[in-house]
Amino acid sequence: MNKINRLIIGGARGGKSHFAQELALKSGKQVLFVATAEAGDDEMGRRIREHQKNRPAGWRTLEAATNIGQAIREHSGDAGVILVDCVTLLVNNIFSRYTDPAGEMTDVPMIEKEVASEIDELIKCVSGLEAAFIIVTNEVGMDLVPANEMGRLYRDLLGRANQLLAAQADEVYLMVAGLPVVIKPAARS
């Protein structure tokens, strides 16, 4: 059974994506880049285009806002490395489906169910493929408690997802100011 080879976790703008891409590039294998971002506005569209420009030309890109486990199984092809960037936006995409125009959550139990299902399917996908997986996500447990219910639910669900993914990973790196800190396996003294 295959496991997540590397989970890259950290704060916003901490260098997670850059480090994950370096690891994938160093593998020398065919890479499938799984992009979960959606361009909800012009600024996000610019960010996505910038990320696209920074990827090596030989990499294949799979854009999958949700149902990424199924999408990866269908499109993995000859990929030796599958880089998922990122779980943070994946969870956000589920939230956005259950938010009304005023920004209020419309179905909390469905959000919880879909996030759990999405992560479970990703883990099943990993165990069913021979490719190495590198997964990027944000650490949300080191900040202030969010001021509203939606923020707290998002933090809780992403935190649980990160724990499940980290448990399946051979290596976990915490990115701090562009520097990878090894979390798992534990550094030897």
Side-chain angles (χ1 to χ4, degrees), residues 2-3 17 20 26 31 34 41 46 55 96-98 100 112 116 124 129 137 144-145 157 162 168 174 176 187:
N2 197 16
K3 291 178 78 172
S17 295
K26 287 178 185 175
V31 176
V34 182
D41 56 34
R46 284 191 300 277
R55 279 183 225 137
S96 67
R97 283 198 263 154
Y98 296 99
D100 66 20
E112 292 171 329
K124 286 179 185 174
L129 294 175
T137 189
L144 299 173
V145 174
L157 293 178
N162 289 345
Q168 296 296 315
L174 174 65
V176 179

Side-chain angles (χ1 to χ4, degrees), residues 13 24 35 70 83 108 120 141 153 171:
R13 308 307 297 168
Q70 177 183 341
L83 195 167
V108 171
D120 184 53
L153 180 63
E171 298 174 11

Side-chain angles (χ1 to χ4, degrees), residues 141-163:
M142 300 171 95
D143 207 347
L144 299 173
V145 174
N148 60 52
E149 179 187 7
M150 183 185 298
R152 290 186 297 273
L153 180 63
Y154 180 83
R155 180 217 40 208
D156 292 350
L157 293 178
L158 183 56
R160 280 188 221 133
N162 289 345
Q163 290 178 40

Side-chain angles (χ1 to χ4, degrees), residues 14-189:
K16 299 178 304 294
S17 295
H18 179 74
F19 181 64
Q21 288 184 25
E22 282 182 351
L23 291 172
L25 195 58
K26 287 178 185 175
S27 76
K29 298 178 181 177
Q30 292 290 324
V31 176
L32 174 64
F33 187 94
V34 182
T36 61
E38 292 184 303
D41 56 34
D42 291 341
E43 187 267 341
M44 190 62 174
R46 284 191 300 277
R47 285 177 180 264
I48 290 170
R49 287 189 297 280
E50 193 62 34
H51 270 269
Q52 290 168 336
K53 283 192 280 185
N54 291 329
R55 279 183 225 137
W59 288 11
R60 287 186 302 122
T61 298
L62 170 62
E63 294 182 5
T66 57
N67 300 312
I68 66 171
Q70 177 183 341
I72 292 169
R73 278 192 293 278
E74 291 173 1
H75 299 282
S76 62
D78 62 348
V81 174
I82 298 173
L83 195 167
V84 177
D85 195 358
C86 75
V87 173
T88 311
L89 291 174
L90 173 66
V91 171
N92 183 69
N93 296 339
I94 294 167
F95 266 73
S96 67
R97 283 198 263 154
Y98 296 99
T99 306
D100 66 20
E104 297 297 319
M105 294 181 294
T106 59
D107 194 342
V108 171
M110 189 56 87
I111 293 170
E112 292 171 329
K113 179 181 175 184
E114 286 201 28
V115 169
S117 176
E118 191 74 52
I119 299 306
D120 184 53
E121 284 302 312
L122 177 58
I123 290 170
K124 286 179 185 174
C125 172
V126 168
S127 66
L129 294 175
E130 293 299 317
F133 275 76
I134 301 170
I135 299 179
V136 176
T137 189
N138 281 38
E139 173 56 57
V140 291
M142 300 171 95
D143 207 347
L144 299 173
V145 174
N148 60 52
E149 179 187 7
M150 183 185 298
R152 290 186 297 273
L153 180 63
Y154 180 83
R155 180 217 40 208
D156 292 350
L157 293 178
L158 183 56
R160 280 188 221 133
N162 289 345
Q163 290 178 40
L164 291 169
L165 294 169
Q168 296 296 315
D170 293 323
E171 298 174 11
V172 178
Y173 294 89
L174 174 65
M175 296 301 297
V176 179
L179 301 172
V181 179
V182 178
I183 302 298
K184 181 183 177 183
R188 296 185 180 173
S189 342

